[in-house]
Amino acid sequence: MSVAAINNNSPESLECPESPEFPERPESRAVRRADRMLLDDRRFGDSRSIEERNAARFSIGAELLAEHDPGHGPVLRRISRADREQLLPLLGDPVLRNAFEDDLVKLENGVRSGFSFGALASRIPDEPAGLGPCERMATPHVRPWADHGSAWVWTEMFPADRVPGELATRLRQLYDGSIEGGPSADPVVPGPEMCRALGRGARLLTALLPRVGPSVLGHVSVVGFTRGESADGPLQSLSGGDPLPSAILMAPERLADPWTVAETLLHESVHLKLFDALRAGALLTDPERSVPIPWRQTPWRLIRVLVALHFYVHLLVFQEAVRDAAPQLRAEFGRPPAGEVVDEVTPGTEAARNGTFGTCLERVRYLAGYVRELPPGTLTPAGRQLTRWLGEVTAVLDPEPATAPAPPEAPGPATAPAAPAAPVATGDAGPEEAVPHRTAGILARPMPAHGELLLADTGTCTLHWLNARSWLVYSLCDGRDVPSVRAEYARRTGTDAPAAASHVTACLEELRNSGLLS
């Protein structure tokens, strides 16, 4: 039976059934606490905050591109002024997101031609509302967890007159560039049972982790199936970064039981969530540092260590939730796997010889311990925040944590300042250290709920995220001399004169180094 044949009303609509209500699990207070803590961090855990930052970045990026791609300026400025509901289908579309990120990289590297985002966006019909461009091609249209996001399933892709042909061509190019395997790696068109199995696994994930499950699934735009190859053999699953944004690909065999589906969805959607979070700032000053991994033959880059640590902490919580799964879940979804769900160590490695690092907890301890011993300055403030948060979550489940949480950053102002006036060019007003002036040609997106200001420099085409403290100092650089900036900063924040002088001096240096003050 074809997928379309099971629909009674519309041959192009297949909605998975809604998730059943499960009683709250009393078995593990620690799991419930960890599930909550994994969403508590505003930068890395709170999906709504991550989404708002990405929408602001998408909006200001479109405005920045309009400055350098005048041929598509009207559509780019229209996107930059769109509200959240209009932006999200475009932001989640794998082809448009890939084109957008490619164009931003070109701008940052001094390239001022060959843009594709505006050209693609200008050809996308306005209807149907609420659907991303690539999603409109999927026939039938399947949303596997409609209650937790707008993800859709890669079924048959028919552009017809719904989207421009180059969109479909580019989607296939992105797919081919994400996996190996040649013709044998064509997308597998799922039947109705595969779609139901996918939705069933998502329901199990959200039942096991009622907060983390819906959060991570909300970062997925599309799920596809393939029998491709990877460096380690047949592809099991992967998450798209820049090459195939917001996408998960998995082997159909991963649908064999709902527990495997739930683990696969967690694994790949956690990566997508971190990918989205990292758009608001770097974690490392030396991401290319080589790190020995005892259970792998090849060392990892340091950025991969942090990505893996982020995933393994989530997996640790998931595995504990599986062990404590309520009888109702076992009755509905069958018996969970007997052992831990963790990829095997590579033969010939130290771990294979010693029988070590075969558990998620061992790997968390190793990776966290390595990060703890990094030289000072290797982690950015955001990197310290990430590792501190992951350490606190791990401590809930690990009786012998490998690391102590890093000391917190010094707090900024309790409230965000009002949005600064548009920067204006100024004449020569004396020595720079006496009267700092904001650089001309700066685009701004204030985010007062987050205490952050996002800026885009139309000259250098770089993006800058200011915290509440830097934002306040930046807003005060409106023609005042430095003593006046310090005095007003002290008045607004309630800090004493020495502290105000220290804060202002540090922020002014940061803003000058970023090119935001001239």
Side-chain angles (χ1 to χ4, degrees):
M1 179 185 296
S2 69
V3 181
I6 71 171
N7 295 284
N8 296 324
N9 299 320
S10 170
E12 297 190 5
S13 177
L14 172 62
E15 295 290 340
C16 295
E18 293 183 0
S19 302
E21 297 270 338
F22 292 105
E24 185 179 3
R25 294 177 291 107
E27 287 80 3
S28 175
R29 183 175 301 174
V31 169
R32 291 197 299 274
R33 183 182 174 196
D35 183 42
R36 181 179 68 252
M37 290 174 67
L38 282 172
L39 266 66
D40 283 346
D41 187 270
R42 290 292 300 276
R43 179 177 291 273
F44 299 105
D46 184 346
S47 287
R48 180 63 183 233
S49 294
I50 295 171
E51 178 187 273
E52 289 170 354
R53 289 187 181 92
N54 274 277
R57 180 176 176 271
F58 195 65
S59 171
I60 204 170
E63 187 176 359
L64 183 62
L65 282 167
E67 296 284 330
H68 298 278
D69 186 10
H72 301 99
V75 69
L76 290 167
R77 289 191 173 89
R78 186 166 65 248
I79 290 172
S80 75
R81 295 190 295 265
D83 61 28
R84 174 180 174 275
E85 296 307 315
Q86 295 170 313
L87 278 181
L88 292 184
L90 304 180
L91 178 61
D93 185 83
V95 168
L96 288 186
R97 180 73 177 271
N98 172 266
F100 172 78
E101 300 296 348
D102 277 359
D103 285 358
L104 284 193
V105 170
K106 288 176 182 176
L107 286 177
E108 291 171 358
N109 288 308
V111 178
R112 299 294 185 264
S113 62
F115 303 118
S116 58
F117 175 66
L120 285 169
S122 66
R123 299 196 58 197
I124 303 299
D126 292 335
E127 299 294 337
L131 299 184
C134 287
E135 182 180 5
R136 300 175 195 181
M137 293 187 286
T139 308
H141 181 247
V142 182
R143 284 195 168 174
W145 48 80
D147 291 341
H148 306 302
S150 56
W152 52 279
V153 178
W154 188 314
T155 51
E156 292 277 10
M157 304 298 282
F158 294 120
D161 57 352
R162 308 174 192 178
V163 297
E166 58 262 37
L167 192 86
T169 300
R170 183 156 178 165
L171 178 63
R172 181 55 196 251
Q173 290 171 344
L174 298 183
Y175 170 91
D176 289 339
S178 299
I179 58 176
E180 305 170 15
S184 64
D186 283 345
V188 174
V189 177
E193 290 305 316
M194 291 175 65
C195 294
R196 292 192 185 98
L198 180 65
R200 195 162 178 250
R203 294 199 305 275
L204 175 57
L205 173 59
T206 58
L208 289 167
L209 300 175
R211 288 170 61 85
V212 168
S215 172
V216 297
L217 291 176
H219 291 267
V220 183
S221 291
V222 56
V223 180
F225 299 93
T226 183
R227 289 190 173 92
E229 294 290 327
S230 70
D232 298 318
L235 175 70
Q236 298 299 312
S237 63
L238 64 82
S239 54
D242 280 334
L244 190 62
S246 305
I248 291 175
L249 297 178
M250 68 171 73
E253 290 73 22
R254 302 295 290 176
L255 298 173
D257 74 88
W259 302 91
T260 301
V261 179
E263 186 276 329
T264 302
L265 290 175
L266 176 77
H267 184 163
E268 305 304 349
S269 59
V270 160
H271 287 329
L272 293 178
K273 181 176 180 178
L274 182 61
F275 177 83
D276 283 341
L278 293 184
R279 290 307 188 185
L283 301 177
L284 298 160
T285 59
D286 183 17
E288 301 299 323
R289 175 190 290 264
S290 181
V291 180
I293 303 299
W295 60 93
R296 292 289 179 261
Q297 294 278 15
T298 306
W300 289 354
R301 294 185 306 148
L302 184 53
I303 184 60
R304 184 176 177 184
V305 168
L306 292 184
V307 170
L309 177 61
H310 178 260
F311 160 65
Y312 278 126
V313 171
H314 282 78
L315 182 61
L316 189 67
V317 179
F318 174 81
Q319 290 176 340
E320 193 64 32
V322 169
R323 283 189 282 269
D324 292 330
Q328 295 91 335
L329 291 181
R330 295 171 184 265
E332 170 72 15
F333 296 101
R335 294 171 59 88
E340 279 198 8
V341 180
V342 64
D343 52 320
E344 296 184 358
V345 302
T346 302
T349 60
E350 171 192 337
R353 292 191 297 269
N354 300 336
T356 54
F357 297 106
T359 69
C360 182
L361 183 56
E362 286 179 297
R363 297 182 185 185
V364 167
R365 286 176 173 172
Y366 175 82
L367 297 174
Y370 187 92
V371 172
R372 179 189 59 186
E373 300 300 326
L374 287 171
T378 305
L379 293 172
T380 67
R384 293 194 294 273
Q385 180 178 337
L386 174 72
T387 55
R388 180 173 61 251
W389 167 61
L390 294 176
E392 291 167 350
V393 175
T394 303
V396 173
L397 300 177
D398 184 6
E400 300 177 3
T403 62
E409 294 295 304
T415 59
V424 295
T426 60
D428 183 7
E432 184 181 48
E433 64 271 19
V435 181
H437 294 291
R438 284 176 276 171
T439 303
I442 303 295
L443 309 176
R445 288 295 184 279
M447 304 182 67
H450 301 277
E452 293 178 333
L453 177 66
L454 174 58
L455 301 175
D457 188 327
T458 58
T460 63
C461 297
T462 53
L463 302 183
H464 304 274
W465 294 85
L466 304 188
N467 61 19
R469 179 178 293 172
S470 295
W471 180 0
L472 176 55
V473 173
Y474 179 74
S475 71
L476 295 176
C477 294
D478 55 1
R480 309 169 200 244
D481 59 20
V482 172
S484 298
V485 172
R486 290 172 181 163
E488 183 62 15
Y489 177 91
R491 187 186 71 80
R492 294 199 191 185
T493 62
T495 55
D496 57 31
S502 175
H503 295 174
V504 169
T505 298
C507 289
L508 288 176
E509 181 179 5
E510 173 193 354
L511 293 168
R512 288 191 186 104
N513 291 339
S514 299
L516 295 172
L517 295 180
S518 60

